[in-house]
């Protein structure tokens, strides 16, 4: 007789709605304009691509399981101790490791209501309960977060600047958040877009993570370095946290090609400056053009904008469809409780002009 018994996943796993990435295909377009995943407009440095090609004959070797050269390059670039860095297969990997190490069943993981959607997924994966804290003006709210901390709170996540809102809290507010948390609560500062921020009241989290044993900063090569396909992320924290992560991570969690590309990317400082300068021209340009069309934008400091459609969710959805029919892919953000908005990545000049022209036409017909 066939049994109805079957393996059951851990509690909470089936409550997870799988992460939905940015759309990559537009029917009828071989090379659509892709503005849905916040990949740097100019693509990776030619030096990185050369390093990748040069490595082809060596891929039969296992990588360095400690990403030594990559951590040393990061240490030198940021003026921090390489022994306090852990690398991973994207910062997603690092975020999952941190969550599983420091939260479990019965524990709570706090994040902003419009915060990056990986945090509740990571919390549920660990068996913990994600708690979405209300925000103010689509910005992380330090007071509301501190007020929501209980004995069950194990981790607070903040993406700074945040995806998909693009907003950030300044250095003083970040410090106030850390100072207000119990020392037993881990504060994870996800600085995926740090390199794009040009404000002098911004702190990526390096200062706090250097000083405070309950602070970890995570970073990625997927955004300004345009290496999303390579899967490279890292975090910086206390020796104790690094020791914990090194016990549970996969032994070879960063491929040899990824390590080499990461080092080459860090060394090409000119390419990073160029990417930031491009963003500093085209984000303000796109913001002005979309506002002139009647959309409302958040004050993004990252490499994307978040635009609200005056007629709400159905209009944002219709705009998304219209853009896709014209070979332009942007991001819906309904899962972030922002159905009346679309997120648009800063791309190349022709891509920016194309999205504005298409939206102008869409709104004329609307
Ligand atoms: C894109 C993104 C990441 C993920 O980066 P990977 O290194 O590609 O995993 C992490 N945090 C935020 C806020 C992001 O937008």
């Amino acid at each position: 007789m066939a049994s109805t018994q079957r393996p059951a996943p851990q509690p909470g796993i089936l409550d997870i709605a799988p992460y939905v990435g940015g759309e990559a295909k537009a029917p009828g377009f071989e090379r659509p304009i892709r503005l849905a995943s916040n990949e740097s407009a100019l693509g990776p440095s030619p030096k990185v691509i050369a390093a990748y090609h040069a490595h082809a004959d060596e891929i039969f070797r296992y990588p360095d399981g400690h990403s030594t050269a990559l951590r040393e390059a990061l240490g030198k670039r940021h003026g921090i101790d390489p022994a306090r860095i852990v690398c991973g297969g994207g910062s997603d990997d690092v975020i999952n490791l941190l969550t599983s190490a420091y939260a479990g069943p019965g524990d709570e993981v706090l994040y902003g209501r419009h915060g990056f959607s990986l945090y509740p997924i990571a919390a549920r994966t660990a068996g913990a309960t994600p708690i979405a804290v209300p925000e103010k003006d689509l910005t992380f709210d330090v007071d509301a977060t501190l007020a929501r901390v209980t004995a069950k709170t194990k981790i607070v996540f903040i993406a700074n600047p945040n995806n998909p809102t693009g907003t950030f809290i300044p250095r003083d507010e970040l410090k106030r958040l850390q100072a207000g948390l119990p020392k037993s609560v881990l504060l994870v500062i996800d600085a995926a877009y740090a390199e794009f921020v040009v404000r002098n009241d911004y702190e990526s989290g390096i200062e706090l993570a250097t000083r405070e044993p309950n602070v970890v900063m995570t970073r990625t090569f997927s955004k300004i370095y345009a290496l999303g396909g390579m899967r490279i992320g890292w975090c910086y924290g206390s020796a104790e946290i690094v020791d914990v992560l090194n016990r549970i991570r996969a032994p070879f969690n960063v491929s040899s090609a990824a390590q080499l590309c990461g080092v080459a990317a860090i060394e090409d400082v000119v390419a990073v400056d160029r990417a930031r300068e491009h963003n500093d021209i085209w984000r303000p340009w796109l913001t002005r053009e979309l506002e002139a069309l009647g959309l409302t934008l958040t004050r993004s400091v990252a490499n994307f904008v978040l635009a609200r459609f005056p007629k709400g969710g159905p209009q944002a959805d219709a705009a998304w469809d219209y853009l896709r029919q014209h070979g332009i892919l942007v991001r819906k953000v309904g899962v972030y409780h922002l159905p009346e908005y679309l997120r648009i990545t800063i791309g190349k000049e022709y891509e920016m002009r194309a999205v504005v022209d298409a939206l102008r036409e869409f709104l004329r017909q609307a």
Side-chain angles (χ1 to χ4, degrees):
M1 234 181 69
S3 167
T4 54
Q5 287 202 319
R6 66 191 75 171
Q10 288 291 302
I13 300 288
L14 294 179
D15 298 332
I16 296 173
Y19 180 86
V20 180
E23 199 86 16
K25 290 198 170 70
F29 292 86
E30 206 172 308
R31 293 183 69 83
I33 291 177
R34 294 175 59 175
L35 306 173
S37 294
N38 296 344
E39 299 141 342
S40 189
L42 306 180
S45 150
K47 291 179 184 166
V48 173
I49 295 170
Y52 181 69
H53 283 296
H55 181 60
D57 291 343
E58 292 297 319
I59 58 172
F60 68 112
R61 299 284 182 203
Y62 268 91
D64 169 10
H66 303 282
S67 300
T68 310
L70 180 55
R71 287 187 299 105
E72 277 168 4
L74 286 168
K76 205 163 128 194
R77 175 79 185 80
H78 294 283
I80 57 180
D81 180 2
R84 291 177 56 181
I85 295 172
V86 179
C87 296
S91 52
D92 291 353
D93 180 28
V94 177
I95 288 165
N96 272 312
L97 289 170
L98 284 164
T99 312
S100 299
Y102 289 96
D107 297 334
E108 293 182 347
V109 173
L110 273 47
Y111 66 104
R113 177 168 158 79
H114 307 292
F116 188 45
S117 68
L118 185 67
Y119 310 144
I121 294 178
R124 287 205 171 91
T125 302
T129 305
I131 305 285
V133 179
E135 300 191 356
K136 221 191 281 168
D137 297 331
L138 299 190
T139 306
F140 188 96
D141 187 336
V142 171
D143 292 308
T145 304
L146 293 178
R148 188 60 188 75
V149 172
T150 68
K152 291 181 179 174
T153 308
K154 290 294 163 69
I155 303 176
V156 172
F157 276 108
I158 176 173
N160 205 36
N162 182 51
N163 170 18
T165 55
T167 58
F168 81 110
I169 63 169
R171 172 191 279 109
D172 291 352
E173 281 287 282
L174 200 60
K175 255 169 99 171
R176 200 163 69 78
L177 173 63
Q178 190 279 332
L181 288 175
K183 301 289 174 242
S184 58
V185 173
L186 181 67
L187 174 61
V188 180
I189 303 169
D190 178 347
Y193 300 94
E195 296 88 350
F196 287 109
V197 184
V198 291
R199 298 185 51 121
N200 52 21
D201 57 349
Y202 174 73
E203 204 271 287
S204 66
I206 285 189
E207 291 171 19
L208 273 178
T210 297
R211 236 185 12 247
E212 305 294 345
N214 68 330
V215 177
V216 175
M217 173 192 66
T218 67
R219 301 284 283 260
T220 181
F221 281 78
S222 304
K223 302 292 158 56
I224 204 162
Y225 291 110
L227 291 174
M230 294 301 298
R231 312 307 305 131
I232 322 168
W234 56 284
C235 71
Y236 169 63
S238 72
E240 285 81 2
I241 292 170
V242 163
D243 172 60
V244 165
L245 297 185
N246 279 329
R247 289 169 194 261
I248 62 168
R249 68 178 174 82
F252 302 104
N253 60 345
V254 186
S255 76
S256 53
Q259 293 182 36
L260 281 170
C261 287
V263 171
I266 293 164
E267 286 171 355
D268 195 348
V269 182
V270 176
V272 176
D273 287 345
R274 204 178 293 134
R276 185 186 301 110
E277 283 158 19
H278 176 89
N279 199 56
D280 283 342
I281 293 168
W282 291 99
R283 190 192 59 228
W285 183 88
L286 182 62
T287 302
R288 277 196 306 274
E289 294 288 324
L290 296 181
E291 284 175 345
L293 295 180
L295 306 184
T296 309
L297 277 77
T298 60
R299 285 197 290 274
S300 171
V301 295
N303 70 327
F304 55 86
V305 300
L306 185 69
R308 191 178 81 217
F309 285 75
K311 293 182 188 165
Q315 193 181 27
D317 283 350
W320 186 89
D321 286 336
Y322 181 90
L323 290 175
R324 196 161 84 123
Q325 282 157 16
H326 289 78
I328 301 171
L329 298 166
V330 300
R331 189 67 159 261
K332 286 189 197 183
V333 284
V335 295
Y336 293 94
H337 316 288
L338 299 166
E340 66 275 46
Y341 289 81
L342 292 178
R343 193 193 71 193
I344 307 171
T345 303
I346 302 308
K348 296 186 175 71
E349 173 171 353
Y350 81 91
E351 296 173 323
M352 295 292 89
R353 293 191 186 280
V355 75
V356 168
D357 289 346
L359 282 173
R360 183 180 298 116
E361 192 51 39
F362 167 79
L363 290 162
R364 199 185 346 251
Q365 295 169 13

